[in-house]
Amino acid sequence: MRNLLLSVIVFMFLMSCGHQKEQRESVNEDYVTIPVPEQDMNRDMDHVISLSAFVDKIDIIPLEFNDSCILGEIGKVAICGDNIFVLERRRPGAGTVYRFDMQGNFLNSIGSIGQGPGELVVLRDFAVNEEDRLIYLQDNYRQSILSCTFDGEVKEVIKINQYADHIHYKNGLFYLFQDQPVKGELYSLVIRDIHGGIKERFFPSKQYILNMGHHVFTPQEEGVLFFKPMNDTIYFLRGTEMSHLYWVDFGSLRYSPQEIEDIYMERIKSYDLMHRTSSIDHVFRVKDWLYFNSIYKGLQISFVYNIRTQELRTSNGSLYDDLEYMFYGNVFYGQTEDALIGIYDAERIMEDINRYDRYEKEGMITKEQKERFQSKMNALRRGDDTENMNPWVLLYHVKKD
């Protein structure tokens, strides 16, 4: 009896260790651990990172507003060569990707909602093939990918017979992700060839029904950064191979595997665990810098990690813009080879313009800075009010450390 009890205890211990590893779902042991000190998560709201710590300059690109491109809340931005592609956040009837040049001039729209040939029923995401100047639109209703030219001409419909919330294209492969699929291909991450054939699959579904709605793919020169919602691991995809690149160690603050399952199964709400972190989100890597954020006690915590020196900086809330003093713009939606991509909503543009006087009175900026910023912002605004403005795209050019 004593030996049996001991065996049960050892078995439960091994199972517990297995569950801890399952949350990271590591596919290799050669990775970098990024420890997050608990005191960094509990600093006061005045503790912030200034953009100038790792950003050289900010380019501002106002997107043209006309009857053919009236944008609501932005869900995704991708920059490819001289083209800016914009997708609105998911809403009923949204089935178009808008294309602009690098000066913000509207060029054309790609995709349209409908039941006919070459139309989309439910547009979830898009991916860009720069080499062939093609854009791929993911239609969840038809479980297919619509291949279009940059000018909007439909070239091909690729059947994939699976649902996906996120799509990325790299070197002849589609990377498709759905958080916890319950129908079709029951793996969260599926890699397919250009014809839709399956090349590799990762993360078998646990049949939870929840879509976290994060950006999970980040383009890199030699592959793709990938992270899974409700997880603390950053992976690297090169072709059909996946490696474990970084593990963000939140220590005692991280969710346990059981808590993650309870959230997915809606047995508890995430805000019931505000004293824990919901792991990582919005992961980007540019030059020597890795950026990601997390939610803790209901607030966003931003992290900037210097890959070369392994120094981690934390910021309560978003980052502090000490370059252009656009305090509502520094949330990142994507990246290029040397810059992070942000979006500046029209209403918040006007709020910042109207607050420059207050910033001067509080000593945050000088009178000369105020006049320069107001003049620049009003010139970019072109006299439009918020009802006749689209958001602006911001390019945060990252320093080479």
Side-chain angles (χ1 to χ4, degrees), residues 100-343:
F100 301 83
D101 65 20
M102 292 303 293
Q103 287 71 51
N105 300 308
F106 176 66
L107 299 176
N108 59 275
S109 58
I110 304 168
S112 59
I113 289 292
Q115 297 280 352
E119 293 181 320
L120 298 150
V121 180
V122 178
L123 174 59
R124 296 298 270 180
D125 197 6
F126 73 92
V128 180
N129 176 348
E130 182 173 5
E131 294 78 14
D132 299 321
R133 291 183 61 82
L134 295 174
I135 182 168
Y136 302 112
L137 310 181
Q138 164 69 20
D139 187 343
N140 253 9
Y141 184 84
R142 289 177 170 166
Q143 298 184 48
S144 62
I145 298 170
L146 203 63
S147 174
C148 304
T149 67
F150 283 7
D151 294 324
E153 178 188 356
V154 177
K155 302 293 288 184
E156 183 183 5
V157 178
I158 304 168
K159 291 296 294 183
I160 57 172
N161 298 316
Q162 77 166 90
Y163 299 99
D165 296 310
H166 305 277
I167 180 174
H168 187 80
Y169 171 86
K170 182 77 174 180
N171 295 336
L173 295 174
F174 293 117
Y175 299 88
L176 298 141
F177 179 81
Q178 187 178 26
D179 195 16
Q180 296 293 347
V182 295
K183 293 182 180 179
E185 194 60 48
L186 295 180
Y187 287 79
S188 290
L189 175 60
V190 179
I191 303 175
R192 295 179 180 268
D193 63 27
I194 197 66
H195 305 294
I198 294 177
K199 303 297 288 184
E200 188 56 274
R201 301 176 295 186
F202 297 95
F203 308 110
S205 171
K206 297 179 181 177
Q207 299 293 288
Y208 306 142
I209 306 176
L210 184 66
N211 173 31
M212 302 301 291
H214 303 253
H215 301 271
V216 299
F217 298 116
T218 299
Q220 302 284 285
E221 183 177 357
E222 297 182 352
V224 185
L225 281 187
F226 167 75
F227 80 94
K228 196 172 183 289
M230 299 296 291
N231 204 282
D232 48 18
T233 298
I234 301 170
Y235 302 93
F236 189 77
L237 295 161
R238 189 194 304 267
T240 59
E241 300 294 321
M242 181 170 68
S243 58
H244 183 176
L245 198 60
Y246 300 101
W247 174 44
V248 182
D249 182 6
F250 289 104
S252 63
L253 296 181
R254 66 196 292 258
Y255 286 159
S256 70
Q258 184 60 54
E259 288 169 335
I260 291 175
E261 181 174 326
D262 288 342
I263 291 171
Y264 272 116
M265 298 300 290
E266 299 185 341
R267 292 191 285 261
I268 59 174
K269 301 294 184 183
S270 58
Y271 54 73
D272 293 330
L273 296 171
M274 292 178 64
H275 60 290
R276 304 286 184 88
T277 176
S278 60
S279 67
I280 57 175
D281 191 6
H282 289 82
V283 178
F284 304 103
R285 185 176 68 172
V286 182
K287 297 180 180 176
D288 292 325
W289 303 92
L290 179 72
Y291 171 89
F292 58 94
N293 63 36
S294 182
I295 301 297
Y296 179 61
K297 294 183 178 179
L299 299 173
Q300 174 181 310
I301 308 291
S302 299
F303 301 88
V304 177
Y305 178 72
N306 187 309
I307 297 169
R308 187 180 60 81
T309 65
Q310 298 188 334
E311 178 188 5
L312 179 69
R313 304 182 188 184
T314 61
S315 182
N316 285 336
S318 56
L319 307 180
Y320 178 77
D321 183 0
D322 58 339
L323 298 174
E324 299 286 351
Y325 293 89
M326 299 180 295
F327 293 115
Y328 288 112
N330 50 349
V331 176
F332 306 130
Y333 285 74
Q335 71 168 77
T336 66
E337 184 179 346
D338 66 349
L340 294 163
I341 303 172
I343 287 292

Side-chain angles (χ1 to χ4, degrees), residues 63-65 69-74 86 88 98 100 389-391:
L63 298 180
E64 180 184 348
F65 179 97
C69 58
I70 301 174
L71 301 178
E73 187 178 2
I74 302 302
V86 177
E88 293 178 274
Y98 298 89
F100 301 83
M389 284 177 62
N390 273 330

